[in-house]
Amino acid sequence: QKEVEQNSGPLSVPEGAIASLNCTYSDRVSQSFFWYRQYSGKSPELIMSIYSNGDKEDGRFTAQLNKASQYVSLLIRDSQPSDSATYLCAVNRARGNTGKLIFGQGTTLQVKP
Amino acid sequence: SAVISQKPSRDICQRGTSLTIQCQVDSQVTMMFWYRQQPGQSLTLIATANQGSEATYESGFVIDKFPISRPNLTFSTLTVSNMSPEDSSIYLCSALLQETQYFGPGTRLLVL
């Protein structure tokens, strides 16, 4: 079993729809969770971090964490073609970011105009 | 924020040779890291580049294969030694600044 699992996709949504990206992790002691966006041929960039159960909203992005189910998700509202990218879920056993992240394989999102 | 540059951006190498990748950060950072992203795979941490001391390697990675230098707070190098086709990958430098992790553009390595 991989430590961090994501459906590789591609996930295809129409412009303006809500895109839902999911991630599960195997290590129960994990405390910090991150979503990165990676455009093709570019480096990953941080979108959201979440440390506590529940929802965290930032603009069109909402991260959701359920530690009991070992599940973290990212919702993108009003999806735009510019959101088309690979979204990487990353987990850290420590609180905050120590730099030692465990990444999932990434989900490719395609937003169609 | 931190801006990270890497050299070279890509290279094609023959098996048995070595390649050194350079990473430059535009800010002084305490923590620098090297990750690998193999085709269709997730990013995997190779090692933490410690300033003034030996790098700390993750399971499955050894110093003889991936020697790392960190001479100051803004610069690090990763050498991929005695390369084989299995080393073909994207190598990314990363830096942690104020709890945000930044990544370089990556070095695309193809070993023939």
Side-chain angles (χ1 to χ4, degrees), chain A residues 2 34 36 38 40-46 51 88 95-106, chain B residues 31 33 35 37 40-45 48 56 58 92 94 96 99-106 108:
Chain A
K2 293 179 181 177
F34 307 86
Y36 281 81
Q38 186 175 27
S40 181
K42 303 294 185 183
S43 57
E45 54 180 335
L46 180 67
Y51 306 127
L88 303 169
R95 178 75 177 181
N97 192 345
T98 62
K100 296 187 173 187
L101 300 182
I102 303 167
F103 282 86
Q105 202 167 344
Chain B
M31 308 288 283
F33 307 87
Y35 281 81
Q37 189 172 29
Q41 305 284 325
S42 59
L43 277 78
T44 302
L45 179 63
T48 302
T56 306
E58 298 300 307
L92 295 108
S94 176
L96 189 64
E99 286 215 5
T100 297
Q101 191 154 4
Y102 299 90
F103 288 87
R108 291 177 180 270

Side-chain angles (χ1 to χ4, degrees), chain B residues 14-44:
Chain B
Q14 296 299 317
R15 67 171 68 209
T17 63
S18 297
L19 175 72
T20 295
I21 302 167
Q22 298 180 4
C23 174
Q24 181 74 53
V25 187
D26 70 344
S27 305
Q28 291 190 339
V29 292
T30 305
M31 308 288 283
M32 291 183 72
F33 307 87
W34 287 97
Y35 281 81
R36 180 172 73 181
Q37 189 172 29
Q38 293 182 303
Q41 305 284 325
S42 59
L43 277 78
T44 302

